[in-house]
Amino acid sequence: MSLFLGNESPYLIQFNAGKCVLENTTVSPDVRKGVIYMDQSDDQLMHLYWRERKATQPEEDMILFPDEAELFKVEACTTGRVYVLKFKSSRQRLFFWMQDKDEAEDEARVQRVLQLMNHPQSALQSPSMSFDGSTSELIQMFNDGQDIDITQENLLQFLQSAGGLGSNALLDTSSKGELSLQQLTELRHKMEQAREQGKRAERNRGRDPIPRTKS
């Protein structure tokens, strides 16, 4: 499977990072394993999210407008790779610490975040992400690190019903298909919605609709 942008994710960018807690002038790490990712919503606004890696819903959801904020490394911190998202129009600051062992990609990730934040239109004009392989590889990509039970059967059902998601190319596993970032994002959202619907249905089935009284 070949996915460009160095990012095996349906999001515009995604990388492992934890939050930090600011108390007075001291920044302390939140030890939870987290992930930062960016996505464009249906209203075309650019969002930056943070969530625990085991969670399905974001804990932080920030709408970023061009030239509203800056992201840079806190050089004064010598015990970890800490970055701050600093808003220009307020005193709001959010601190994150990189959790990938290899720091070689840190700067490239920061530049990608800045590009998406400050120049979203040009950043979104990237080439399509190429998918070269079978549906099993796409299933592995979506299941990787996520609590989402995607099987070949329900993946194909989604592709068949999703219309414009390039389903014909993916259903023909002998050919090479191309999915844009927008298509992958939409597909991922549909999968997550289906998972939540399944959870609710399972909880409803577990309820006893008939009141019981002791005889």
Side-chain angles (χ1 to χ4, degrees):
M1 178 171 59
S2 174
L3 291 171
F4 294 117
L5 300 179
N7 180 28
E8 295 188 5
S9 164
Y11 302 112
L12 300 175
I13 184 172
Q14 176 177 321
F15 55 92
N16 294 331
K19 292 200 302 181
C20 294
V21 179
L22 176 63
E23 295 181 355
N24 297 322
T25 59
T26 303
V27 175
S28 303
D30 183 329
V31 298
R32 293 177 296 170
K33 294 181 179 180
V35 60
I36 289 175
Y37 56 102
M38 292 185 71
D39 200 4
Q40 192 173 39
S41 57
D42 294 337
D43 54 12
Q44 304 304 304
L45 295 175
M46 189 65 67
H47 291 249
L48 185 144
Y49 302 93
W50 184 90
R51 63 170 171 79
E52 282 193 83
R53 272 177 249 173
K54 65 181 180 180
T56 58
Q57 298 299 320
E59 188 172 307
E60 300 283 354
D61 178 0
M62 292 155 284
I63 298 175
L64 300 176
F65 295 99
D67 298 318
E68 181 188 27
E70 51 188 347
L71 178 66
F72 56 89
K73 188 174 184 179
V74 180
E75 299 293 348
C77 180
T78 59
T79 57
R81 290 137 54 208
V82 175
Y83 286 77
V84 58
L85 181 66
K86 183 179 180 181
F87 289 83
K88 299 178 182 179
S89 60
S90 69
R91 298 176 60 87
Q92 184 180 9
R93 292 178 295 171
L94 295 172
F95 292 85
F96 303 97
W97 61 286
M98 298 294 190
Q99 292 182 328
D100 285 321
K101 292 182 179 179
D102 186 2
E103 61 183 276
E105 296 296 323
D106 287 359
E107 187 59 30
R109 288 165 177 157
V110 169
Q111 292 304 314
R112 177 63 174 167
V113 170
L114 293 174
Q115 182 188 29
L116 289 167
M117 180 171 59
N118 295 323
H119 308 285
Q121 294 307 315
S122 62
L124 292 172
Q125 291 173 357
S126 304
S128 297
M129 302 175 73
S130 294
F131 171 75
D132 184 10
S134 66
T135 53
S136 62
E137 290 178 324
L138 188 59
I139 291 169
Q140 181 180 359
M141 181 186 75
F142 279 108
N143 277 327
D144 185 24
Q146 304 296 327
D147 185 19
I148 302 175
D149 184 18
I150 298 177
T151 66
Q152 181 166 339
E153 181 180 359
N154 59 32
L155 175 63
L156 294 181
Q157 288 174 350
F158 266 95
L159 291 172
Q160 288 171 330
S161 63
L165 293 177
S167 55
N168 291 335
L170 288 170
L171 289 171
D172 180 6
T173 57
S174 63
S175 66
K176 178 179 178 179
E178 288 192 353
L179 290 176
S180 69
L181 289 168
Q182 181 179 356
Q183 290 169 330
L184 279 171
T185 300
E186 185 179 348
L187 178 57
R188 179 56 176 265
H189 287 171
K190 286 179 179 290
M191 287 294 184
E192 291 179 344
Q193 289 171 1
R195 175 183 175 276
E196 291 303 315
Q197 290 172 359
K199 275 189 171 182
R200 287 195 295 269
E202 188 67 27
R203 288 195 296 267
N204 291 336
R205 282 196 295 268
R207 295 172 181 168
D208 190 349
I210 304 175
R212 303 291 182 182
T213 59
K214 293 182 179 180
S215 57

